[in-house]
Amino acid sequence: MDLSRDVTKLVRYQDQLELKSKIYNTLYQISSLSFRTKSKEEFLQNLPKIIVDNLDMEISYVALKNDGNIEIAHHLARDFQYSNYLDKVKIFIKSIARNPLLNYHTPILKSLKKKGIYLVNEIDSHGFCPFKKIVSSYGIKSCCAISIVSKNEIIGTLVITSSKPNLFNREIYSLFRVIQNQIEFILDKLQDDRFSQITLSALNSGFEFVIITDSNFNIVYVNDKATEISGYSRQELLGKHHSVFSSRTHSKEFVKNFYNTLRSGEVYSGIMQYKIKNGSIKNFYVNITPFFEEKVITHYISVGKEIVKDDELLEELEKLLNYDATTGLINIYSFKKALEQFIERATYEKTIGAVAIINPIDFKKINEAFGFETGNSILQQIAKRLTDNLRSYDKVSKLESDRFGLLLKDLKAEEDILIIISKLLLELTKPYKAKDKSISISFNIGLSLFPKDATTPDGLLDKAHIALSDAKEKGENQIGFFRKELEKDATRVLQLKADLELALLNKEFIAYYQPYVDRNQKIVGAEALMRWKKDNRIIPPAEFIEYLEQTSLIIDAQELIIDQVLEDLKLLKKPVPISINLSTQSLKQRHLSDNLISNINYHNIPNNLIKLEIIERTLLNNFDYVARLIKELKESNILFSLDDFGTGFSSLSYLASLDVEILKIDISFVRDLDNPKTKSIVDSIIYLAHSLGIKTIAEGVETQYQFEALKSMNCDYFQGYLFYKPMDKQELIQAIEHN
Ligand code: C2E
Ligand code: CA
Ligand code: CA
């Protein structure tokens, strides 16, 4: 019995001896940490790790007071098993914070109330506390809470726990005291450094006075210029409420807005009137920045400059209203105006656009670590990269705090935004220069699209913000879309576009042919229909032609088809004309007719065996151009058909001024032929076409009934599954031979 007690004592003695040397080491680590960290937060964040690693403790955490609450801000546990424990401590701490009447004698609570070091050496035999059970159930035997003090205020506590009992003796207590003082000293120094950095940076950017108040707007610091301008001495100002300067010339709403802005943590900048000591009122341009510590506003830093002349005032006002002072970019106010203008025009022109919100991650930390001057310089570099990498008519703006807003106008397709923004992100994530340092920053970007996501400036901004939080959830350097399905679509389409480019290189676009017949079902011609032959799969144009058009690959793909048609025509024993579908881009390419004619000549094929099809919609914006082209090619015996007739603007009157050979009645009319109204429309189309000397083809004839009805209306030619489906060239050769 006695012996075992002695052994325990001896072990304890050794433990304590070991701990002593470890504390010295820890002290050294903490001191050297102060040189490496630039902010209080960063410093406190590292404390638990130093404690756990160097003191060989089970768990250490920093709990901080936050707006009446107490929160575990930073923690580290040596083993995984304790993570659960921390959750329970969190709940306990929350419950005591919510209930200030509870007065347990726990070291944590004591250390938060009165500066000191509170030790418990044998938790099991410690006084009453409902939390004790939980603690000891994790095998924790000793615990120590050290008040963290900064600027004479207890801001939190550093808690250390060990599974060894009776660890802390008097000697160790005094060593902890040294650690506590060291922490206080470092925190104060970090804070002073920051104030002086801010002051310096304000003075460098042309401001004159600097006044710092605490969170209740009581003045804690003024620079010389502030005393000079105001006429008050430093002693007269320190400790006073900032309303000593109040001119009482501002409206109630102004004052309300002023305080609301600051209390919500946003920067206030504007023109203020202050009363100085001699009673006169002066105009100042001021910029007031809330200063945060552990997410709580502790101070307000006000920098300002007197406005002497009236025109200076106007100029400042104008700048203030429309531009961001740091970056020179337009501010949110003018950005919204730009959005409004864009929306008005885009609604009319039916174009699409996108709003992007760009958020550098943890930018606050950069300000804290390197000072505002560096922070501002980086914001300016970001602004420059944004403007340099976008088109000149896109809008780049600086929104609230550290966010940037982009308006990307006139996108060809929604998914193009993904390409533009991905490229931009690549630029943004390259390192930034700050004096002799190189700083890397990560970003998140949120996107909303006009008109699909919203059609108002605020709507677009809101949705881009929602998209931004989505991007944040995914991690660093992520892009978020307001509509998630769009992201999937966009990625899929981008992949598709890349595939199409490859397909073009591999010449995977081939022509299928669909013959059309006369009323005796004799093949009189065929239409070339593009297919994508991908790994023995034949993909129809509905799945890709739209994207070929968006990427302008259509022109090259079309040339492949034309070449192939010219080759295949030579294989036909009894050649029939083959018509080729041309999209707007192909039609509008330069030298279309010259190229086509020389190509046909090169293959030694009669011009009249090639026909061109254009859809009615193409005429919409290009009527004169197309009308001229048709005339020009007709002189060389290359004739046009008007495709999908009836789906465009269906004005029959323009037909007279277009020299087309054939009109193709759209499949939708043919499908609906048992409707008497449709039937009479088709009847008059055919009648009118004939009266203009234009022939007609009915598309998509699938039934005998449709065939008979169309014949009775004197339709000239017929195309559809009833006769032939689209087929490859071998099948075409056979179909014509057996005809
Ligand atoms: P389109 O010019 O109107 O071609 C007729 C479409 O109707 C073809 O579809 C054809 O397969 C289909 N079709 C023919 N008969 C019937 C029928 O009886 N019933 C039904 N349900 N459908 C029938 P496809 O081949 O999928 O082509 C779709 C569209 O792609 C074409 O419509 C054309 O606008 C475009 N396209 C095809 N090839 C080219 C090309 O080389 N260049 C360009 N720019 N566009 C092309
Ligand atoms: Ca066609
Ligand atoms: Ca058609």
Side-chain angles (χ1 to χ4, degrees), residues 527 581 613 615 643-645 664-667 699 719:
E527 176 180 9
N581 293 284
E613 290 191 10
I615 53 175
D643 205 353
D644 294 357
F645 188 82
K664 298 187 84 172
I665 299 165
D666 191 66
I667 189 167
E699 293 186 319
Q719 188 182 19

